[in-house]
Amino acid sequence: MVNSWIIPGMLKWLSAILAGTLLTLPLQTSQAAGPKAGTICNKLYQKQTYAGKRYICIRSGRKLVWDKGVNLYSPSPSPSSSSELSPSPLSTLPPVAVTVTFDNLIQNEKNISFTAWEKASKVILASSAKNAPVNIFTGPKTTPLFEETSLPVSLVSRLFPNNEEAKTVIWIRYGYDDIAWAESLVKEKLSSSDFEQITRNQGGALAPSNCESSLKICRGSYQQTGPSGTALIMQGVPSVSGPYSPSSDPNFITGQLEAHEYLHSLQRIPMLNKNLPRWAPAWWREGSADWVKFASVNYLDYTVYKKSLMDSCASDCIKLSEADINEMLSTVNGESLAPKFSSFLNYTIGSQVIEKLVSIKGPSIIIDLYVEMGKGQSFEDAFNTVMNEKWADAIPILSQSVFDNLHPSS
């Protein structure tokens, strides 16, 4: 069944934001008060958005109460100048946007995050979405935790105003009880050549590859593009209840996952059907998708952007030495890191590295690198073209900058 894509009334003001106009949420003088953390609610896992936060009804002892809420897209002053923006509470000194080069990257560490975020925010505010309509299908037994898929898709589209996008997007959302339904639907919606190639790429299973049979849960997602140029996004949706419920995970309830997967569809276009021997390393591919999900979803709120980026790196990244980061970034051939490294570092350290590069050249470099590789250049040569810096020379600078950001007192 195709979702109707109706954006709830509580998100009407966001439609104006997507048109490039900022509005202030009107005072709700004639309406009942919104949810407040710790107050009684009526239905377990009920969701409600109020004053820029998404609240979920959770169980506390024998009572049902609203959780503390997760920030969504809270409006804030336009970042036309850094002085208009509220300083991040994560730093004792307000961050400012600065001119960043490889020569001064390390010295400017405290201002790198703000500079990268502001560059992304300005692009989104100045752009219009140009993506084709996304055809969304949701399993009959599946309840998504985030409904407004068109919103993060539009934000990612606006972040890359000069890049080509897929002409057709098929988005299939399904839980564990809808695996068979999803397998049947994807075969119906794809051409035979697209279905055959994507099936090979996924090792023969399109829907089950996002699921864990031992836990009876689907929570993975992936994006693939067939030779016709049709972009397919298969999204496993975990149950809103049960021991593995991600009902308070921002990745599942704020549109971050949707932004991440849609960015992958943009990465593939410059290299489609060219039988190139090499792609960008996995840490570039996944790190850029993770950075984009933080920057696009939080393009009006630097504080949430910064916290999201640092929280994602709070466990595995902190354990790495500067030499470890250097070794990881030296992996540019193939999909895999050295066995000593967790594959999750592709996302976490990768997004940290991408932030540094965006602070220097802006967000366009994320797709520009694929454009150059689509012309037949190696990753190293494409990096030199896009960043005007040799990759071998950039590695130690980026490694120290990332390490310093994760260990500010060292």
Side-chain angles (χ1 to χ4, degrees), residues 133-137 168-172 185-186 189-191 224 230-234:
V134 180
N135 304 293
I136 303 178
F137 304 87
T168 303
V169 181
I170 297 174
W171 201 304
I172 300 177
L185 182 67
V186 70
K189 296 299 178 182
L190 293 180
S191 68
Q224 291 278 358
T230 295
L232 171 70
I233 295 175
M234 297 290 285

Side-chain angles (χ1 to χ4, degrees), residues 18 105 125 147 198 202 219 235 277 284:
L18 290 177
L105 181 68
L125 288 169
E147 287 285 2
I198 293 175
Q202 290 299 123
R219 52 186 172 186
Q235 179 182 348
W284 181 287

Side-chain angles (χ1 to χ4, degrees), residues 163-226:
N163 293 104
E164 184 180 355
E165 299 185 51
K167 301 299 186 294
T168 303
V169 181
I170 297 174
W171 201 304
I172 300 177
R173 308 184 298 189
Y174 59 97
Y176 191 80
D177 293 334
D178 284 325
I179 293 177
W181 168 87
E183 280 283 295
S184 176
L185 182 67
V186 70
K187 188 172 184 178
E188 172 191 333
K189 296 299 178 182
L190 293 180
S191 68
S192 57
S193 59
D194 285 351
F195 180 80
E196 290 172 5
Q197 178 170 302
I198 293 175
T199 299
R200 286 196 300 271
N201 292 346
Q202 290 299 123
L206 296 185
S209 61
N210 283 329
C211 307
E212 301 168 68
S213 57
S214 60
L215 301 177
K216 294 186 177 181
I217 187 173
C218 299
R219 52 186 172 186
S221 60
Y222 66 82
Q223 190 281 321
Q224 291 278 358
T225 300

Side-chain angles (χ1 to χ4, degrees), residues 149-172:
T149 300
S150 59
L151 180 57
V153 166
S154 296
L155 292 173
V156 174
S157 177
R158 291 167 63 184
L159 185 57
F160 299 96
N162 300 319
N163 293 104
E164 184 180 355
E165 299 185 51
K167 301 299 186 294
T168 303
V169 181
I170 297 174
W171 201 304
I172 300 177

Side-chain angles (χ1 to χ4, degrees), residues 36-57:
K36 185 177 181 181
T39 58
I40 300 296
C41 50
N42 299 321
K43 184 179 179 181
L44 186 62
Y45 300 117
Q46 175 188 358
K47 294 177 289 183
Q48 188 170 340
T49 299
Y50 177 74
K53 282 189 174 183
R54 169 68 59 80
Y55 294 86
I56 296 179
C57 185

